């Protein structure tokens, strides 16, 4: 839409009567005012959240509401495409959408301030609506969105009026100063809010914890682990390298001193446990490999750690589940739920309520202060992080988060094997080429790993002895590539579990109960 005012704004010409028309700055400045008002909204929201609760920050509540409402296909696509960066992509997308809407609001405000303010108010309302519907919402949760939107509306009003008053001559400098002040205010509130959130977070609670020595320590690592070649996945996954999968946009902020777990439902007697109660129990330490059901064949959503915790079997025995119960419905502080088969938690395996990971208190992203870990079950049906509630119930009665989104109610881990070395599309010298990787079939164990070159006969790889059937194992195969000839070659791997079942060749996508098929790698021999 081109009007005379736009022309005068650009050129500062005079009107037809020779009178100067009040020059008006170009739209870009007002779009900038809109974007900076939105930034101030988020900054003040963050600062308020620092006081009220980190999980009540506007972007966090809106993002959380989006995550819980996007259709399953889109969510699966996001995890597949962006992996563990899916949350970053969501935040960037939200930021882009907000920036566009805010720029539009700014441009509208140039003509009609009231209409621009309505857009800001609507954005605030979205924040409030998201805040009150979050599972962990409190009466104060809408406050960051309300105060943020108030600050944004105020900023938009002031900035718009100031920009309208700037004349053509001193215009650009003055406008830059006006918007610069706004940008500094937005950055200061956002940065201050971030610092406040961090200082009041559970990180401080975690730093203060000294875990007791295990009453029942983990076995030592067998001497042969990590035999090389370089590029083979380490047997023990460092905490910093451990995959992270969850639906929480901001890491739930749970202090150990505030934590308690309630076990109830179809039980003879309810039980409530505090963090101190838990640490006072004789703890057990075990090596257990976790796997995500979203892991593709050859994927990396799998990791092995030394977990310190208390057997779930003991706690469940204390509450005396009723005869008809067959499911433990676990809920975390952020509202995530999962359905674990009661039988799998009480059959003697090392299912535990974990407080430690590789000798440290659980990192916050991995469930601090307390999570579940169950050998043999995919994480989405067993490994509840930030767990605070266990209801003993039935599969007929209840369905959990991912089951409601099309995934199977039960999720035993499928036998899998992966080639780490050589990497796909690597070029290797004719001669001896080590092929190596990992294989897992938690709680059943891996009995055999075989390699096939160019779809030829299967030949056994050497399995590096692992600590127990509950962890993955490393395997190595020496390939004499000189016999293969120069050019492209396909390497495949398959594992056989402790029950004698060989990994199926049938290719299945992760949905609904885990991927299957053989991992393969194509290399070029020089
Ligand atoms: N509270 C909560 N616990 C959760 C999830 C979640 O989204 N929220 N995801 C589960 C899934 S799908 C997996 S694979 C494991 C991953 O645990 P990690 O992030 O510590 O590797 O956590 C499980 N526990
Ligand atoms: Mo998962």
């Amino acid at each position: 839409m081109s009007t005379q005012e736009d022309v005068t704004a650009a050129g500062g010409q005079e009107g037809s009567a020779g009178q100067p028309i009040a020059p008006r700055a170009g739209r870009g400045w007002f779009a900038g005012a809109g974007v900076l008002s939105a930034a101030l909204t988020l900054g003040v929201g963050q600062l308020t959240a620092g006081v009220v609760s980190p999980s009540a920050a506007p972007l966090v509540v809106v993002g959380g509401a989006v995550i819980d409402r996007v259709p399953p296909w889109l969510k699966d696509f996001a995890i597949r495409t962006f992996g563990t960066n899916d949350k970053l992509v969501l935040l960037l997308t939200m930021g882009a959408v907000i920036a566009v809407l805010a720029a539009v609001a700014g441009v509208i405000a140039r003509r009609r301030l009231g209409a621009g303010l309505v857009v800001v108010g609507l954005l605030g309302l979205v924040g409030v609506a998201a805040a009150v519907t979050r599972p962990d919402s409190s009466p104060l949760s809408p406050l960051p969105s309300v105060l943020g939107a108030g600050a944004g509306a105020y900023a938009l009003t002031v900035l718009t009026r100031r920009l309208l008053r700037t004349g053509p001559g001193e215009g650009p400098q003055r406008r830059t100063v006006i918007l610069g002040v706004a940008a500094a205010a937005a950055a200061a509130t956002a940065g201050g809010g971030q610092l406040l959130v961090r200082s009041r977070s559970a990180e401080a609670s975690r730093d203060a914890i000294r875990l007791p020595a295990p009453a029942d320590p983990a076995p030592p690592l067998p001497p042969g682990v990590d035999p090389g070649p370089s590029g083979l996945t380490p047997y023990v996954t460092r905490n910093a390298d451990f995959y992270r999968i969850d639906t929480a946009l901001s890491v739930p902020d749970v202090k150990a001193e505030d934590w308690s777990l309630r076990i109830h439902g179809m039980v003879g007697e309810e039980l409530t446990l505090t963090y101190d109660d838990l640490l006072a129990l004789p703890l057990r330490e075990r090596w257990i490999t976790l796997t995500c059901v979203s892991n593709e064949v050859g994927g990396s959503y799998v990791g092995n750690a030394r977990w310190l915790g208390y057997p779930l079997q003991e706690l469940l025995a204390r509450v005396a589940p009723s005869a008809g119960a067959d499911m433990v419905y676990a809920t975390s502080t952020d509202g995530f739920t999962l359905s674990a088969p009661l039988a799998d938690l009480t059959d003697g395996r090392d299912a535990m309520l974990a407080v430690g990971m590789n000798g440290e208190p659980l990192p916050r992203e991995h469930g601090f202060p307390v999570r579940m870990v169950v050998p043999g079950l995919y994480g989405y049906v067993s490994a509840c992080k930030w767990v605070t509630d266990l209801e003993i119930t039935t599969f007929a009665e209840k369905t959990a988060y991912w089951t409601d989104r099309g995934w199977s109610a039960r999720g035993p881990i499928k036998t899998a094997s992966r080639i780490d070395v050589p990497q796909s599309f690597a070029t290797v010298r004719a001669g001896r080429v080590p092929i190596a990787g990992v294989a897992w079939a938690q709680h059943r164990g891996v009995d055999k790993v075989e390699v096939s070159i160019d779809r030829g006969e299967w030949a056994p790889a050497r399995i590096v002895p692992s600590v127990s059937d509950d962890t993955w194992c490393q395997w190595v195969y020496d390939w004499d590539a000189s016999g293969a000839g120069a050019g492209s070659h396909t390497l495949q791997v398959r594992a056989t579990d402790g029950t004698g079942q060989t990994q199926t060749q049938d290719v299945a996508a992760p949905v609904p109960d885990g991927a299957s098929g053989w991992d393969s790698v194509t290399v070029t021999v020089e």
Side-chain angles (χ1 to χ4, degrees):
M1 187 171 50
S2 175
T3 67
Q4 182 166 22
E5 278 160 322
D6 291 321
V7 175
T8 56
Q13 295 108 327
E14 296 185 345
S16 52
Q19 294 286 342
I21 290 175
R24 197 173 270 201
R27 288 203 181 98
W29 295 100
F30 291 85
V35 170
L36 289 173
S37 301
L40 196 73
T41 297
L42 297 179
V44 169
Q46 184 71 11
L47 201 57
T48 314
V51 179
V52 174
S53 152
S55 60
L59 278 185
V60 173
V61 290
V62 174
V66 170
I67 289 180
D68 288 351
R69 282 173 185 78
V70 291
W73 63 264
L74 183 55
K75 202 168 200 160
D76 298 339
F77 165 81
I79 293 181
R80 215 167 44 241
T81 315
F82 307 119
T84 41
N85 286 327
D86 56 345
K87 295 182 185 70
L88 181 64
V89 171
L90 174 63
L91 284 174
L92 292 176
T93 307
M94 288 199 304
V97 170
I98 291 171
V100 168
L101 291 175
V104 170
V107 171
I108 293 176
R110 176 173 179 259
R111 291 297 169 74
R112 295 183 53 202
L113 179 58
L117 291 177
V118 166
V119 178
V120 176
L122 287 177
L123 282 176
L125 269 185
V126 170
V128 170
V132 298
T133 53
R134 296 312 296 145
D136 58 353
S137 95
S138 78
L140 289 182
S141 300
L143 204 58
S145 297
V146 170
L147 293 185
Y154 177 75
L156 188 63
T157 306
V158 171
L159 294 176
T160 305
R161 293 206 170 130
R162 293 254 157 120
L163 288 176
L164 285 174
R165 260 187 254 132
T166 56
E170 24 78 273
Q173 290 95 321
R174 289 261 344 256
R175 285 175 214 132
T176 307
V177 170
I178 292 168
L179 293 192
V181 169
T189 50
Q194 202 52 34
L195 283 180
L196 201 59
V197 163
R198 199 168 309 155
S199 71
R200 301 185 68 236
S201 78
E203 207 62 56
S205 161
R206 181 175 180 273
D207 289 344
I209 286 165
R210 297 209 8 96
L211 292 176
D216 180 355
L221 293 181
V225 299
D226 296 331
S230 98
L232 171 61
T233 301
Y235 180 69
V236 180
T237 313
R238 296 185 321 144
N239 289 355
D241 299 335
F242 210 94
Y243 79 95
R244 174 189 166 199
I245 296 282
D246 54 62
T247 60
L249 190 56
S250 75
V251 178
D253 191 66
V254 191
K255 299 180 180 67
E257 53 275 25
D258 296 339
W259 180 87
S260 69
L261 173 74
R262 178 168 168 241
I263 311 182
H264 63 106
M266 297 172 65
V267 297
E269 194 183 353
E270 274 197 36
L271 176 70
T272 301
L273 204 70
T274 66
Y275 193 74
D276 284 342
D277 293 340
L278 189 54
L279 290 202
L281 293 168
L283 301 184
R284 174 181 292 191
E285 197 166 38
R286 291 291 183 268
W287 299 99
I288 297 167
T289 298
L290 290 193
T291 310
C292 182
V293 69
S294 294
N295 195 49
E296 305 269 357
V297 171
S300 59
Y301 297 163
V302 52
N304 185 37
R306 181 164 45 95
W307 306 93
L308 176 72
Y310 189 70
L312 274 162
Q313 177 155 10
E314 303 284 332
L315 290 175
L316 291 170
R318 277 210 232 163
V319 300
S322 316
D326 63 1
M327 187 234 269
V328 175
Y329 185 79
T331 307
S332 84
T333 51
D334 67 340
F336 174 82
T337 57
L338 62 76
S339 54
L342 180 61
D344 293 340
L345 307 188
T346 52
D347 66 357
R349 75 181 75 191
D350 286 314
M352 54 173 151
L353 207 51
V355 293
M357 182 176 184
N358 288 327
E360 290 176 25
L362 291 177
R364 283 187 53 212
E365 313 81 65
H366 295 292
F368 180 80
V370 182
R371 75 175 303 169
M372 291 167 61
V373 173
V374 183
L377 303 181
Y378 285 122
Y380 84 109
V381 290
S382 69
C384 195
K385 306 193 273 189
W386 316 289
V387 64
T388 52
D389 192 285
L390 298 180
E391 180 183 346
I392 315 305
T393 179
T394 64
F395 279 94
E397 189 67 35
K398 287 241 167 185
T399 55
Y401 190 94
W402 285 112
T403 310
D404 292 337
R405 288 159 176 80
W407 296 73
S408 168
R410 295 166 193 265
I413 294 175
K414 295 180 179 176
T415 302
S417 51
R418 185 178 80 197
I419 300 172
D420 294 338
V421 187
Q423 289 187 342
S424 258
F425 308 116
T427 299
V428 298
R429 294 257 169 83
R432 182 191 152 269
V433 176
I435 303 175
V438 286
W440 60 87
Q442 289 93 315
H443 208 56
R444 301 184 300 278
V446 175
D447 263 13
K448 190 161 68 175
V449 173
E450 297 164 293
V451 170
S452 152
I453 313 294
D454 296 325
R455 298 174 207 282
E457 245 174 72
W458 289 97
R462 180 173 76 84
I463 292 180
V464 180
S466 61
V467 166
S468 78
D469 287 347
D470 291 343
T471 77
W472 60 13
C473 64
Q474 298 167 311
W475 57 267
V476 184
Y477 178 82
D478 274 320
W479 175 35
D480 184 4
S482 52
S488 177
H489 295 281
T490 302
L491 321 176
Q492 281 180 296
V493 65
R494 69 176 188 190
T496 300
D497 74 9
T499 72
Q501 282 277 335
T502 298
Q503 219 184 305
T504 176
Q505 183 178 11
D506 296 341
V507 174
V511 187
D513 61 0
S516 67
W518 297 333
D519 192 22
S520 78
V521 158
T522 305
V523 296
T524 304
V525 174
E526 278 184 329

